[in-house]
Amino acid sequence: PVQMTFYEAVGGEQTFTRLVRRFYEGVADDPVLRPMYPEEDLGPAEERLRLFLIQYWGGPRTYNEQRGHPRLRMRHVPFRIGATERDLWLQHMRAAVDSLGLHEALERQLWEYMVMAAHSMVNVAEEA
Ligand code: HEM
């Protein structure tokens, strides 16, 4: 296609599947983040993040069909997200992004979004 979406440029569905799988492997072993997830099985949370990211980057809009408008900040209000949680989230996401082996410009675009989004999800002030 002449106008490729970012979703297509990075390799489509399989790339996002790999990304979130690697990310949740990190979360599964994280003593701070793991207890925040209400469900015993991380699979459904992995699927929600996968579908959200696919939709955000121009792929199929299955997330909205299943979950409605993302309203991500609102959906995170039940969870206490300070700088500590944000930085751990980003640490696992960094490892996941690195594992994809994307071209530099695509990788930078993906990473800058993750940093921005993670900062926007912080909902408690924390002492430094
Ligand atoms: C849901 C934690 C940042 C996207 C959740 C859940 C937790 C959580 C505990 C509930 C799990 C579930 O879906 O059942 C965190 C923490 C973050 C963070 C600690 C640290 C900053 C982000 C960011 C994004 C994101 C930056 C997007 C780029 C999502 C999505 C859901 C979700 C799409 C599912 C929403 C739904 O449809 O219900 N998150 N999150 N999160 N998170 Fe995060």
Side-chain angles (χ1 to χ4, degrees):
V2 178
Q3 295 276 12
M4 236 197 245
T5 61
F6 184 90
Y7 170 76
E8 291 167 317
V10 296
E13 178 174 3
Q14 64 161 352
T15 297
F16 289 91
T17 300
R18 286 167 59 210
L19 176 71
V20 299
R21 183 159 305 153
R22 179 62 190 262
F23 172 74
Y24 274 106
E25 283 172 14
V27 171
D29 288 336
D30 188 305
V32 174
L33 294 188
R34 182 63 188 87
M36 293 177 72
Y37 287 80
E39 290 170 294
E40 174 129 28
D41 181 6
L42 284 175
E46 179 175 323
E47 179 68 355
R48 290 189 276 270
L49 181 59
R50 192 178 79 89
L51 292 177
F52 170 77
L53 291 172
I54 285 173
Q55 171 171 303
Y56 177 85
W57 291 106
R61 301 190 58 78
T62 315
Y63 178 88
N64 261 40
E65 281 166 26
Q66 295 189 359
R67 305 291 292 165
H69 188 283
R71 301 181 202 285
L72 283 190
R73 224 187 115 76
M74 186 196 79
R75 291 192 206 259
H76 285 77
V77 166
F79 312 111
R80 183 193 181 283
I81 303 178
T84 302
E85 290 77 13
R86 175 198 69 203
D87 290 347
L88 288 167
W89 193 99
L90 281 171
Q91 184 184 306
H92 299 304
M93 190 53 80
R94 180 73 248 182
V97 169
D98 283 345
S99 78
L100 297 175
L102 297 176
H103 289 293
E104 196 188 333
L106 294 171
E107 181 180 296
R108 189 179 320 114
Q109 197 177 337
L110 183 58
W111 180 243
E112 281 173 4
Y113 166 75
M114 295 299 182
V115 172
M116 179 281 293
H119 280 73
S120 81
M121 233 57 87
V122 171
N123 54 25
V124 296
E126 223 177 74
E127 298 301 313

